[in-house]
């Protein structure tokens, strides 16, 4: 069977079950690259069976496609992910793009709450930034190190409860901390609730626990003229402007025109 025919077969199976067709695209992108649709590749029986097995699992169990293949795309690369780390979200590329604009090969970056390491690793690969990734989870750190090795990034990764084990100063601090209210987690879509770790989601009673820690401590870890970049929940802007009221703050919107990133500078 030609690759595009198999793709159309799986895409149509997904559409019939109300699963977004982008899942079919992601599946073929992962195994055969972005140009799969124009590739002259004829799939053998083994390949077709493997693809169909994954597609059927997606349909039967509602497990997200990236949980099934254990890899997730971010900024054009596939990162290893598993049940212990958040599956990267497209919106996080907004934060990445802002950090890329401010970075060069001398920039020292702290990727706090690094998860699978998508932000720090991408900044190192794209701009040769000097990156320290930090997370409280040993599982996340193991995945970050694996991703760095597999993708050829040169970063360091340490275990740290927020800033507790951080000693240096950085030109840029990026963080996508957990920001869902504890009581809201149960009502999240089951594909998030059941397949992303609670540790990566739970932002405490008001969802703001980690932002408050960051606001009270980040100055000690930022170089002069440095920048803090934070991903935020789409409805958290006003509370966060209050929490960061003593700093200069700019808010950036995401692809859906929702507030998504805070760019924070210390006032002169
Ligand atoms: C929303 S995920 C973000 C992961 C990744 N940066 C991304 O954007 O996909 C939040 C991460 O914060 C980590 N985390 C939770 N509590 C933490 C703490 N007290 N100190 C450091 N990291 C923490 C979780 O383990 C998780 O990897």
């Amino acid at each position: 069977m030609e690759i595009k025919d198999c793709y159309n077969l799986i895409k149509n199976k997904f559409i019939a079950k109300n699963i977004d067709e982008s899942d079919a695209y992601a599946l073929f992108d992962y195994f055969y690259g972005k140009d799969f649709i124009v590739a002259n590749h004829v799939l053998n029986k083994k390949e077709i069976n493997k693809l169909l097995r994954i597609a059927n699992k997606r349909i039967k169990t509602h497990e997200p496609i990236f949980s099934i293949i254990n890899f997730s795309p971010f900024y054009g690369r596939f990162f290893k992910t598993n049940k212990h780390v958040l599956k990267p979200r497209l919106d996080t590329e907004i934060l990445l793009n802002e950090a890329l604009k401010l970075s060069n090969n001398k920039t020292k970056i702290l990727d706090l709450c690094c998860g699978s390491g998508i932000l720090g690793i991408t900044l190192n690969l794209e701009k040769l930034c000097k990156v320290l990734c930090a997370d409280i989870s040993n599982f996340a750190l193991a995945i970050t190190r694996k991703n760095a090795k597999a993708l050829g990034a040169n970063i360091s990764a340490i275990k740290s409860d927020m800033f507790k084990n951080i000693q240096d100063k950085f030109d840029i601090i990026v963080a996508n901390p957990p920001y869902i209210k504890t009581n809201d987690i149960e009502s999240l879509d089951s594909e998030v609730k059941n397949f992303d770790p609670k540790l990566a989601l739970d932002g405490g009673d008001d969802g703001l626990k980690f932002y408050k820690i960051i606001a009270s401590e980040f100055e000690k870890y930022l170089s002069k003229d440095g920048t803090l970049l934070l991903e935020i929940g789409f409805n958290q802007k006003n509370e966060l402007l209050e929490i960061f009221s003593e700093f200069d703050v700019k808010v950036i919107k995401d692809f859906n025109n929702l507030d998504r990133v805070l760019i924070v500078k210390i006032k002169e």
Side-chain angles (χ1 to χ4, degrees):
M1 184 188 280
E2 285 209 18
I3 197 163
K4 68 171 181 321
D5 296 327
C6 187
Y7 167 67
N8 284 326
L9 175 77
I10 289 179
K11 185 178 85 176
N12 291 332
K13 264 174 172 281
F14 283 172
I15 291 171
K17 295 288 178 188
N18 286 326
I19 295 171
D20 199 294
E21 64 182 84
S22 63
D23 277 19
Y25 179 85
L27 179 60
F28 281 75
D29 178 14
Y30 172 62
F31 283 113
Y32 300 103
K34 292 224 169 320
D35 294 332
F36 69 86
I37 206 84
V38 290
N40 256 346
H41 184 63
V42 177
L43 299 174
N44 62 36
K45 223 178 167 142
K46 206 168 147 202
E47 288 174 292
I48 298 167
N49 285 341
K50 179 177 67 184
L51 291 161
L52 286 174
R53 236 187 354 261
I54 294 172
N56 289 335
K57 185 169 183 192
R58 171 75 183 98
I59 290 166
K60 279 202 191 104
T61 64
H62 299 285
E63 185 169 348
I65 200 79
F66 300 126
S67 293
I68 299 174
I69 61 176
N70 276 323
F71 276 89
S72 306
F74 186 72
Y75 205 70
R77 298 182 178 89
F78 274 94
F79 285 75
K80 183 159 185 53
T81 48
N82 63 18
K83 63 179 177 181
H84 300 294
V85 292
L86 187 91
K87 259 58 81 208
R89 305 299 203 267
L90 183 61
D91 284 332
T92 305
E93 292 190 6
I94 304 285
L95 168 50
L96 175 77
N97 275 320
E98 295 303 320
L100 284 171
K101 287 183 211 165
L102 301 170
S103 301
N104 59 44
N105 63 359
K106 297 200 171 53
T107 313
K108 272 178 77 177
I109 298 199
L110 172 63
D111 177 1
L112 192 63
C113 302
C114 67
S116 57
I118 50 164
L119 289 167
I121 289 172
T122 307
L123 283 157
N124 173 258
L125 291 173
E126 293 294 322
K127 296 278 184 156
L128 300 177
C129 302
K130 297 168 181 43
V131 175
L132 177 64
C133 291
D135 202 288
I136 199 170
S137 155
N138 286 326
F139 293 116
L141 292 168
I143 293 280
T144 288
R145 292 187 183 115
K146 254 191 190 146
N147 278 324
K149 192 163 180 219
L151 294 166
N154 183 11
I155 57 114
S156 306
I158 60 159
K159 181 168 175 143
S160 183
D161 179 356
M162 297 310 281
F163 293 103
K164 279 188 186 145
N165 293 337
I166 309 295
Q167 274 147 14
D168 234 341
K169 282 189 183 273
F170 299 86
D171 304 306
I172 295 180
I173 300 173
V174 292
N176 176 15
Y179 56 69
I180 311 290
K181 289 181 187 169
T182 307
N183 285 341
D184 288 352
I185 291 179
E186 260 320 293
S187 52
L188 288 175
D189 190 296
S190 62
E191 290 188 11
V192 175
K193 190 177 61 185
N194 298 338
F195 298 100
D196 280 314
K198 194 157 177 267
L199 185 64
L201 302 173
D202 191 346
D205 289 348
D206 57 3
L208 302 168
K209 173 176 144 188
F210 293 102
Y211 298 110
K212 289 176 185 162
I213 295 173
I214 292 170
S216 66
E217 297 190 30
F218 81 97
E219 275 183 275
K220 278 184 266 169
Y221 303 95
L222 205 60
S223 320
K224 194 172 174 301
D225 288 335
T227 310
L228 167 70
L229 295 134
L230 297 173
E231 178 163 322
I232 65 169
F234 72 92
N235 53 3
Q236 292 177 318
K237 178 177 95 175
N238 291 340
E239 289 154 305
L240 285 169
L241 288 178
E242 189 64 38
I243 292 170
F244 286 91
S245 59
E246 60 182 283
F247 306 104
D248 281 330
V249 180
K250 192 169 152 194
V251 182
I252 307 286
K253 291 189 183 286
D254 66 17
F255 302 111
N256 295 312
N257 210 30
L258 299 170
D259 297 318
R260 188 57 66 193
V261 170
L262 288 196
I263 303 183
V264 184
K265 306 274 291 181
I266 298 165
K267 284 184 180 159
E268 293 284 298

